[in-house]
């Protein structure tokens, strides 16, 4: 009798991928979700004889073994079994067996090899049948990443484009982002991210076994998406100087970043800032089947010493000083992943903060999370992972100090318990509108619960401190009421290329005459508060009659700020107002200048596999030419890879019209993203939703 063996295998990719919700992946591999059966047919060279049997072996990782659940050996049987790996014979026609294999709901994710073990004539031999990829299964109630709401699951797992909120509390802006988790090659790059982690390099067997746990995978990815410690994907840079790489504002999405990382032999891609890290981490999480979203926190505190307050310093002339390692970012972007917390208990299930932006070390590595959003809201800063840091980002007090270098003294100026952690935002499900999720992170500002949670958190961080010695709260009441108030008001429009017009409003709050000495300054900044350059300053003495209010004009010309403005388009203005021997009143305002608009329009009806013309319109608003103009375009399902178009120099006030072609590959609503850069405007963004017909 000839030796029994397989002649060929039909993996039934199409029906399996449809059943497993992996049909959107461009790559042709067999991509499956755990805890769910898949079928294939095995064509043997002859039928099974008496005493002959088939068993199967699945294995993952370089050192598979059964006790670690990275290898399983299981027989072909006539019924399903629950729990572990199993193979069921569904039908038999001549020499063709149709077999259904089930994986455990807690199997590690990643590449698997499937082999068959044939027992025939007293001998056992093993033959490899093929490979498949196993992912998390948010469609399955038993999986730790299960998401029951269909619309949310579509948004947080299947949506391959999105919106990231940026800007400041008084001017929330947005950028489109191409997640592109289903694009060709992206899944393989995401899997290779895990194989480049420090954990895998130190102990591959244990690392692969732990890939069954979404909180473990999420934490590893938060470390790997930044390049600190491990040569991960993106190198961060907030200096304002981005030579040797791309200005972080120029990226349109994660696809080009991930491909670049692989193409360069896994060397960090330059450069990223927080939304670039978050957009990329979002791609990887959705790719693996962990529901995820991108979240922006405005006025985000970076508390380096775990005391729930951030110290901000100015000199007597109103110049910001980088004296403390604490900082307040105009905005900071992180991710939330959706999964259970078996380590903490069911009340902490649901959204978990994961942050790939390298800010502080955690267990010796730049990684952050998963921190349960429920735990943040309740002040449970003693729980894993990185809770004190995340809690402070949305809850810290902001304390301003005036530091005088001439006599090395510092005076506490004010403490603000309300300004940190505002307008916490994410894209709404199924639409491009902004959803405010601040109440998920904290009780309403000023409410008694919010106070209680803050004191509870402070008590857990500093068990030995008596209340009052460390907290900024009681001091705030003792600070004398100032005799004047001030604020900056914007007059007219704020546009790059135009003069900035503002007014400092000063009001005498008393019934006495007051003389105020005002020192003002304006700096261009990067959004995390990094100072770039002083562009304007002014000193003035103003007399105020009882209860009088005056407006002092502030004008900053384009010539003053043009060379020093960064792609963030941010200018920080401050005024230190001194009334004789009273405490100074500090007035500050960050403004964001608008870029000229970039318009995209589709010139014909978009259909799958039919070229479509798109045009970009841009007008140079300046009285000088703009040169080195480049248009970068991308969009998943609309064009393969990205398009780079060099645009000719534009004369003053000249209008440019650029036409290009896209080729849609999938139907539905798709997002086209464009970034226009030139010597005067480092990053102008546009996005367009295009409905693609079959």
């Amino acid at each position: 009798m000839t030796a029994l063996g397989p002649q060929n295998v039909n993996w039934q990719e199409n029906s399996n991928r449809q059943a497993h919700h992996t049909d959107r992946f461009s790559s042709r591999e067999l991509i499956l979700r755990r805890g769910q059966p898949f079928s294939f047919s095995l064509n043997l060279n002859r039928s099974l004889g008496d005493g002959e049997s088939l068993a199967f072996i699945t294995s993952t990782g370089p050192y598979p073994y059964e006790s670690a659940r990275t290898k399983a050996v299981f027989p072909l049987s006539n019924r399903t079994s629950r729990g572990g790996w199993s193979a069921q014979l569904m039908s038999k026609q001549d020499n063709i067996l149709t077999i259904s294999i089930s994986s455990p709901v807690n199997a590690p994710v990643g590449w698997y090899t499937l082999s068959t073990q044939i027992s025939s004539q007293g001998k056992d031999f093993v033959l490899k049948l093929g490979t498949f990829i196993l992912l998390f299964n948010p469609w399955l109630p038993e999986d730790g990443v299960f998401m029951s709401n269909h619309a949310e699951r579509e948004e947080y797992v299947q949506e391959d484009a999105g919106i990231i909120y940026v800007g400041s509390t008084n001017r929330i802006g947005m950028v489109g982002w191409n997640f592109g988790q289903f694009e060709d090659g992206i899944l393989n790059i995401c899997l290779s991210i895990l194989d480049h982690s420090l954990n895998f390099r130190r102990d591959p067997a244990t690392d692969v076994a732990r890939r069954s746990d979404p909180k473990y995978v999420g934490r590893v990815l938060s470390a790997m998406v930044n390049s600190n410690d491990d040569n991960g994907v993106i190198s961060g840079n907030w200096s304002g100087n981005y030579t040797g790489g791309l200005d972080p504002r120029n990226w349109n999405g994660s696809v080009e970043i991930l491909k670049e990382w692989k193409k360069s032999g896994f060397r960090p891609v330059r450069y990223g800032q927080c939304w670039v890290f978050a957009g990329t981490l979002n791609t990887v999480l959705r790719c693996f089947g962990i529901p995820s979203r991108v979240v922006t926190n405005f006025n985000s505190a970076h508390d380096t010493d775990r005391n729930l307050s951030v110290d901000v310093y100015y000199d007597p002339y109103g110049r910001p000083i980088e004296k403390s390692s604490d900082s307040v970012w105009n905005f900071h972007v992180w991710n939330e992943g959706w999964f259970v917390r078996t380590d903490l208990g069911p009340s902490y299930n649901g959204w978990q903060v994961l942050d790939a932006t390298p800010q502080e070390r955690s267990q010796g590595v730049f990684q952050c999370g998963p921190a349960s959003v429920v735990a943040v809201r309740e002040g449970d800063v003693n729980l894993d992972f990185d809770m004190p840091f995340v809690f402070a980002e949305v809850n810290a007090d902001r304390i301003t100090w005036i530091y005088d270098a001439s006599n090395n003294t510092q005076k506490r100026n004010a403490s603000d318990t309300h300004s940190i952690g505002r307008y916490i935002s994410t894209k709404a499900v199924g639409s491009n509108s902004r959803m405010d999720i601040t109440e998920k992170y904290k009780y309403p500002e000023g409410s008694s619960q919010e106070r209680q949670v803050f004191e509870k958190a402070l008590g857990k961080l500093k068990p030995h401190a008596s209340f009052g010695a460390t907290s900024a709260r009681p001091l705030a009441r003792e600070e004398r009421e100032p005799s004047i108030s001030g604020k900056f008001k914007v007059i007219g429009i704020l546009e790059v290329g135009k003069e900035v017009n503002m007014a400092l409003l000063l009001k005498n709050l008393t019934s006495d005459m007051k003389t105020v000495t005002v020192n003002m300054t304006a700096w261009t900044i990067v959004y995390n508060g990094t100072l770039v350059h002083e562009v304007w300053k002014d000193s003035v003495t103003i007399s105020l009659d009882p209860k009088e209010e005056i407006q002092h004009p502030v004008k900053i010309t384009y010539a003053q700020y043009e060379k020093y403005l960064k792609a963030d388009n941010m200018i920080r203005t401050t005024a230190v107002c001194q009334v004789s021997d009273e405490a100074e009143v500090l007035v500050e305002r960050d403004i964001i200048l608008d870029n000229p608009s970039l318009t995209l329009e589709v010139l014909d009806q978009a259909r799958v596999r039919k070229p479509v013309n798109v045009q970009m319109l841009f007008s140079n608003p300046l009285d000088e030419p703009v040169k080195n103009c480049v248009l970068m375009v991308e969009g998943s399902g609309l064009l393969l890879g990205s398009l780079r178009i060099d645009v000719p120099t534009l004369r003053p006030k000249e209008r440019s019209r650029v036409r290009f072609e896209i080729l849609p590959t999938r139907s539905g609503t798709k997002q086209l993203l464009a970034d226009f850069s030139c010597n005067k405007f480092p990053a102008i963004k546009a996005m367009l939703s295009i409905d693609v017909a079959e």
Side-chain angles (χ1 to χ4, degrees), residues 479-507:
E479 283 161 6
R480 279 194 304 163
E481 283 298 307
S483 61
I484 57 160
S485 70
K487 70 172 195 193
F488 281 112
K489 184 174 103 174
V490 172
I491 295 161
I493 49 172
L494 296 171
E495 282 181 12
V496 178
K498 301 243 177 3
E499 183 173 79
V500 172
N501 277 300
M502 297 166 75
L504 174 64
L505 270 52
L506 284 181
K507 187 173 186 184

Side-chain angles (χ1 to χ4, degrees), residues 186-199:
I186 294 300
L187 175 56
N188 282 332
I189 297 171
C190 291
L191 289 163
S192 68
I193 290 175
L194 293 177
D195 289 348
H196 281 80
S197 74
L198 293 175
N199 296 20

